[in-house]
Amino acid sequence: MRPNGRFSRVPRPQLATLALLLTAAVTAAGCASTPSRPSDRPARDPDAAVKAATLLLTDGCLRRQGLTTPSPHRPRASAADARRVDAALFGAGATELSLKLPTGYTVRAHTDGCLASAQQKLYGDQRAWFRASVVVNNLKPEAKRTRSTLADVRARHRAEIAAWQRMRARAHHRATALLDHPPAPPPTG
């Protein structure tokens, strides 16, 4: 999240860093290529499985639009191409999702774009996932801001935490299935 609390736009250097981090996470988890056996996939680590499936889905979405994920291993794209990739990956136009936090920040995100599409497929409800994940990811800052204990803040957000856990379990299940049976790459030519 950027200081202004927006997810919707990531500056070019941060986009490259995001791509590098996603690539590193997937490679470290052993997901850089299609698993040959179920034991080769990161199913035992829900975070790694969801990250790998998200990368697989976003890469496929970008490829269908004739775009590629930024990578430190490829030459830098032109500024115009970088903007196209940014819009395709994170969405464009006005942000459709918004949540004001007790810390004073407002977090915004798009419902279009490849990342939103991947979240919809994995979590089942991108809007509900946005709300639950933003709340859960900001429990500690809320405790600090409100001078409450983390336990008190968690108690106030039981419903969001339960929704986050439910959707996270669903995403892990779907990610595992996707990694076990990845979609065929589009034909080249």
Side-chain angles (χ1 to χ4, degrees):
M1 180 172 71
R2 292 182 29 199
N4 67 358
R6 294 185 68 185
F7 284 131
S8 60
R9 290 282 175 245
V10 177
R12 175 92 173 111
Q14 288 181 358
L15 184 62
T17 302
L18 174 65
L20 177 62
L21 289 173
L22 282 171
T23 303
V26 171
T27 303
C31 303
S33 61
T34 303
S36 59
R37 300 186 322 264
S39 62
D40 290 345
R41 73 185 192 296
R44 307 237 187 288
D45 179 358
D47 288 336
V50 172
K51 286 177 187 175
T54 300
L55 185 61
L56 184 67
L57 291 168
T58 56
D59 280 352
C61 175
L62 288 172
R63 266 194 316 276
R64 285 188 296 279
Q65 297 177 52
L67 303 168
T68 58
T69 304
S71 168
H73 307 294
R74 285 192 290 272
R76 287 190 157 204
S78 69
D81 285 343
R83 282 190 298 276
R84 281 187 29 194
V85 169
D86 183 43
L89 190 56
F90 298 108
T95 53
E96 299 87 1
L97 303 176
S98 178
L99 182 63
K100 184 167 175 121
L101 299 170
T103 58
Y105 286 104
T106 297
V107 182
R108 294 176 177 86
H110 288 281
T111 57
D112 62 337
C114 294
L115 183 57
S117 175
Q119 289 172 340
Q120 181 67 35
K121 286 177 182 152
L122 292 171
Y123 297 101
D125 184 339
Q126 196 237 351
R127 289 176 187 273
W129 172 248
F130 168 78
R131 178 169 170 58
S133 65
V134 168
V135 169
V136 168
N137 289 331
N138 285 283
L139 294 174
K140 286 181 184 178
E142 180 179 338
K144 184 176 178 181
R145 171 78 173 178
T146 61
R147 296 183 181 177
S148 303
T149 67
L150 188 54
D152 288 341
V153 173
R154 285 184 175 144
R156 281 195 299 267
H157 294 291
R158 265 190 210 113
E160 290 93 343
I161 293 169
W164 183 91
Q165 290 170 333
R166 237 182 356 269
M167 286 183 279
R168 187 68 176 165
R170 181 184 194 275
H172 179 229
H173 175 76
R174 287 198 164 194
T176 301
L178 181 66
L179 295 172
D180 280 346
H181 306 288
T188 58

